[in-house]
Amino acid sequence: MLRIHNTLSGQLEEFRPMVEGEAKFYYCGPTVWDFGHIGNFRSTIAADILRRYLKFKGLRVTSVMNLTDVDDRIIAKAAGAGKTIDEYTARYIKAFWEDFDALGCERPDVAPRATRHIAEMADLIERLEQKSHAYRSDDSIYYRITSFPDYGKLSKINFAGNIAGGSQRVDTDKYEKEDARDFALWKAPTKEDEPNWETSIGRGRPGWHIECSAMSMKYLGETFDLHLGGIDLVFPHHENEIAQSEGATGKRFARYWFHFEHLKVEGETMSKSKGNYYTYRDLIEKGFTAPAIRYFLLSVPPRKQLNFTFDALRGAEKTVASLRDFRARVEEAKTEVGRNEKLSSATQRALQDFEAGMDDDLNTSVALAAVHDLTREVNTALAKGALRSDDQGEVLEAIKSFDSVLNVFGESRRQMLDDEIQKLIDERQEARHRRDFKRADEIRDELAERDIILEDTKDGVRWKRK
Ligand code: AMP
Ligand code: ZN
């Protein structure tokens, strides 16, 4: 049974989805104002691991990851470049997906963009106004924190003693708010040429927090299973999402909150503003590979901090290469028919340890230790010629299971691509025409070894996977 630390309760809890056999989650995705750094991708990969692990556990998963494609930075950068928001963000959205795919992440089921959901945000703000959770000031709209007594339940920040009520001007914000803690739901344009939208609540643009409430509830319902994000989002972003969503619906919003710890550099959070960051592209330029970057980023459980060093990344390169080499050697080993009981139980144990590690709040360190223990035992057996045909199949199946979650072993060499297969079939046909039956048979055997079956029909050669 999967247990995760729920930020809301502060406890390790058994994960029990709302509907048995299904899991619905929302992950706060990137702000597409620039290339993402590998700290951002640590969180993206953690979300990917959770998604994959829920599937491993047999659940049907619906995952949503938003793209924040409007905020003050984007507006300023787009204006500076003389572009519209869409023109400016197009490049970074494209780059994000390229990096995302290269890092072996599975695409979410829905990846909504904030700018495409302005009407939904306006509707939600209207509901909040009707329930007196929101008020207008200078054509902007704010959330009234005093109207939501549960405010602070996620971050456990004690707001007692904070100035409440009474109109005041807060220097950090240009607008008039009732309470310093109140936050903007909707911002009226302050300049002539500022990007804005005409909606049922007037002309303006959304605050950051409202987008995630509107888009998560649109695609997952008013109550859903899991909400994920980096630890920096607990306050104020997620606290505000709860206030907005629960304020509007009167229902519980997300049931479990899972927050990922940061990637650090010499004790400091990797971030654009600190300048201590590397993008995925920077590392590729330095000669590192995507699977090694993925391995490094997932090698420590998501709820523990991870320190970035080039040494650790070089270590990950070696580990990934050895895992790939291991898979190839097991695939290619010529084995005698039968079973080596010792290896068979080692494989079972590795699978159990892997699952026990992952069940424990996604403890990827324990899960990886189980994988490495198995590779050591199998390597010893391979060196002694003690791997038997049954073990070979079981070990390869185990690798497939591990990799359905980790995705670091790379393509199986057995899994030939369709055009590679077709090429060999064409070569076999040619050999037959030359009456070189020896070569033709060799090709048939080679394909059979890779689980490809040939059928000679009157319309030519057909093939299928075993
Ligand atoms: P952003 O693009 O800033 O909206 O962030 C995208 C995601 O990356 C969010 O879930 C952040 O919490 C997360 N994030 C930002 N910095 C780091 C870091 N250094 N390590 C891990 N995750 C981070
Ligand atoms: Zn969010």
Side-chain angles (χ1 to χ4, degrees), residues 270-416:
M270 179 175 283
S271 78
K272 280 271 153 78
S273 57
K274 293 201 172 76
N276 60 351
Y277 66 90
Y278 292 99
T279 64
Y280 165 74
R281 284 146 198 254
D282 293 336
L283 297 179
I284 294 295
E285 251 175 47
K286 286 182 185 297
F288 292 99
T289 64
I293 299 169
R294 180 180 173 91
Y295 185 95
F296 165 69
L297 293 174
L298 65 74
S299 60
V300 164
R303 289 196 6 89
K304 281 212 173 116
Q305 292 178 356
L306 169 64
N307 200 39
F308 175 81
T309 64
F310 281 107
D311 268 353
L313 204 50
R314 278 188 283 272
E317 287 288 350
K318 281 194 193 137
T319 307
V320 166
S322 76
L323 289 175
R324 289 170 178 228
D325 184 51
F326 172 74
R327 183 186 216 165
R329 266 182 298 124
V330 177
E331 283 175 345
E332 282 154 20
K334 299 274 182 254
T335 51
E336 280 173 33
V337 177
R339 170 189 301 255
N340 175 337
E341 289 301 338
K342 193 168 160 253
L343 277 186
S344 202
S345 51
T347 309
Q348 287 317 307
R349 198 171 50 242
L351 282 166
Q352 280 162 12
D353 292 351
F354 176 86
E355 193 164 350
M358 293 302 292
D359 274 349
D360 181 18
D361 207 20
L362 301 190
N363 193 331
T364 48
S365 307
V366 170
L368 283 170
V371 174
H372 291 302
D373 284 348
L374 182 65
T375 62
R376 265 191 301 276
E377 294 214 37
V378 175
N379 272 330
T380 312
L382 276 171
K384 288 194 220 152
L387 189 76
R388 297 285 172 269
S389 58
D390 286 0
D391 316 319
Q392 185 177 32
E394 285 170 13
V395 171
L396 291 175
E397 275 308 305
I399 291 174
K400 238 196 229 168
S401 286
F402 300 144
D403 221 33
S404 68
V405 179
L406 302 172
N407 196 20
V408 291
F409 275 90
E411 283 281 295
S412 159
R413 289 200 198 163
R414 275 209 173 161
Q415 187 71 49
M416 294 183 80

Side-chain angles (χ1 to χ4, degrees), residues 125-138:
I125 294 170
E126 236 180 318
R127 283 169 81 183
L128 288 170
E129 277 191 289
Q130 282 158 10
K131 292 192 165 185
S132 298
H133 287 300
Y135 62 91
R136 286 177 185 256
S137 172
D138 295 341

Side-chain angles (χ1 to χ4, degrees), residues 225-251:
D225 294 307
L226 269 157
H227 199 311
L228 324 172
I231 191 84
D232 55 302
L233 300 185
V234 175
F235 184 82
H237 185 51
H238 289 162
E239 197 72 73
N240 291 352
E241 275 189 49
I242 292 176
Q244 294 164 153
S245 307
E246 298 191 356
T249 67
K251 294 182 195 156

Side-chain angles (χ1 to χ4, degrees), residues 26-29 66 68 208-209 211-212 227 233 237-238 241:
Y26 185 87
Y27 166 65
C28 286
N66 69 302
T68 300
W208 171 32
H209 315 295
E211 67 172 85
C212 287
H227 199 311
L233 300 185
H237 185 51
H238 289 162
E241 275 189 49

